[in-house]
Amino acid sequence: MATTFPPATPVRSTLKPTQNPPKALLSLRDGGRTVWAKCRTIRVDLSSWGSAANYVRLQDGAAKFSGKPIVSGKLLQKRAGIVRAATIEEIEAEKTLIEKDVKERMEKTIETVRSNFNSIRTGRANPSMLDKIEVEYYGSPVNLKTIAQISTPDASSLLIQPYDKSSLKSIEKAIVSSDLGMTPNNDGDVIRLTLPQLTSERRKELSKVVAKQAEEGKVAMRNIRRDALKAYEKLEKEKKLSEDNVKDLSSDLQKLTDEYMKKIEAVFKQKEKELLKV
């Protein structure tokens, strides 16, 4: 007796996918709490890296999902940019530039202090005493040394010989209005200045002026050091220098500052000695 079987189910029908396949579940953790959301992936762009020499290009893709997106902060963000890594040579060049700037500014500060000291008269005549004298010449202020020759005939007098005799009156006026404390003698061709003897009281006053100028020079040195430290800290923030690098450079900078401070002190002591010497 033959057995009757039910009609066979077509294989194609068995393997046919359902019309509404289950959507994938996306799990996100937010502050220790797990959040689930159904979603269907539409497009995913993978990140790609490309490098050439010291440049690296980073292109981040973004994944898009159907349904209501659940985002904690900025989980997905499309970015495109260039990240440049500084070379050792570039870092060394920046350090060298900072050090060079520091030394140049400190040298200029020393020269300024010396120039200020030279403009303060002692018991002996010196042309540098007139360095800060400015004369009104054809409507413009000019330095006396640019329009006249200055010499010292003896230890207690100065001789000013202008290149243009029409400027004699202006030179005389500038000297009288200055703080030199000298009376010019204009004979129509040249101007003579005779240095009066410094009193003990005047010497002490000038010594205080010199001390103040020396302190101003030291303040300028500290400001230069401060600027350099800020430059080093900037390099550290940019990840070009490590914390240890900055400490070492700061230590070297302090030694250099101390060295120039001693130079100012030496110049000051020398000038003070000249002033107080009778």
Side-chain angles (χ1 to χ4, degrees):
M1 180 176 177
T3 304
T4 303
F5 293 92
T9 303
V11 174
R12 177 178 294 182
S13 176
T14 303
L15 299 179
K16 185 179 180 181
T18 58
Q19 296 298 321
N20 298 308
K23 296 180 180 180
L25 291 179
L26 173 65
S27 172
L28 298 174
R29 293 191 63 84
D30 184 11
R33 182 167 60 88
T34 303
V35 180
W36 295 88
K38 292 183 178 181
C39 59
R40 176 169 56 88
T41 303
I42 295 175
R43 179 174 62 85
V44 177
D45 293 334
L46 299 179
S47 298
S48 62
W49 290 82
S51 63
N54 297 309
Y55 292 86
V56 179
R57 178 174 289 276
L58 174 62
Q59 294 181 327
D60 291 345
K64 294 183 178 179
F65 300 92
S66 64
K68 185 178 180 181
I70 299 177
V71 180
S72 177
K74 287 188 177 179
L75 296 178
L76 303 174
Q77 184 178 13
K78 186 172 182 179
R79 297 178 181 177
I82 296 177
V83 179
R84 187 180 188 281
T87 64
I88 295 177
E89 290 78 9
E90 289 173 330
I91 295 172
E92 287 298 324
E94 289 195 56
K95 286 166 53 181
T96 301
L97 188 63
I98 294 171
E99 292 167 0
K100 181 181 178 182
D101 179 66
V102 167
K103 288 183 179 180
E104 287 180 353
R105 291 175 63 190
M106 287 187 173
E107 282 293 338
K108 287 181 181 178
T109 300
I110 288 288
E111 290 304 315
T112 300
V113 171
R114 286 198 180 104
S115 177
N116 289 338
F117 285 175
N118 289 336
S119 65
I120 297 177
R121 71 183 184 90
T122 56
R124 187 177 181 84
N126 189 326
S128 60
M129 295 168 60
L130 303 177
D131 282 352
K132 294 188 177 297
I133 299 296
E134 289 197 342
V135 181
E136 192 75 18
Y137 188 63
Y138 289 103
S140 301
V142 296
N143 190 276
L144 174 59
K145 285 189 173 182
T146 64
I147 61 172
Q149 182 180 356
I150 304 170
S151 58
T152 52
D154 52 62
S156 61
S157 63
L158 291 168
L159 185 66
I160 303 171
Q161 186 172 3
Y163 303 125
D164 179 6
K165 289 185 180 180
S166 65
S167 63
L168 278 169
K169 287 291 184 182
S170 298
I171 294 173
E172 183 179 4
K173 181 180 178 181
I175 293 172
V176 170
S177 60
S178 71
D179 58 357
L180 288 174
M182 292 185 284
T183 302
N185 180 12
N186 182 359
D187 65 5
D189 290 318
V190 296
I191 293 178
R192 289 182 173 83
L193 295 174
T194 301
L195 277 68
Q197 284 289 343
L198 290 175
T199 64
S200 177
E201 190 67 25
R202 180 58 176 165
R203 290 177 187 275
K204 290 179 181 179
E205 289 177 2
L206 292 176
S207 181
K208 290 179 181 179
V209 172
V210 169
K212 181 181 178 182
Q213 291 178 346
E215 183 57 33
E216 289 173 351
K218 291 179 180 179
V219 170
M221 292 293 185
R222 296 188 192 103
N223 290 339
I224 295 170
R225 178 174 62 88
R226 178 202 60 198
D227 293 343
L229 287 175
K230 286 184 178 179
Y232 288 143
E233 289 170 359
K234 182 175 180 290
L235 291 179
E236 182 184 5
K237 289 179 180 178
E238 294 172 351
K239 305 301 181 184
K240 294 180 180 179
L241 290 178
S242 67
E243 185 178 350
D244 289 339
N245 290 148
V246 173
K247 286 181 179 179
D248 292 339
L249 290 170
S250 299
S251 178
D252 292 341
L253 179 62
Q254 185 60 55
K255 291 177 183 177
L256 183 66
T257 305
D258 292 340
E259 179 184 336
Y260 276 91
M261 287 289 197
K262 289 178 181 178
K263 288 183 180 182
I264 289 181
E265 190 65 21
V267 175
F268 164 64
K269 291 295 182 183
Q270 179 63 32
K271 186 65 177 181
E272 187 180 44
K273 183 179 179 181
E274 292 175 6
L275 283 172
L276 298 178
K277 184 179 179 180
V278 180

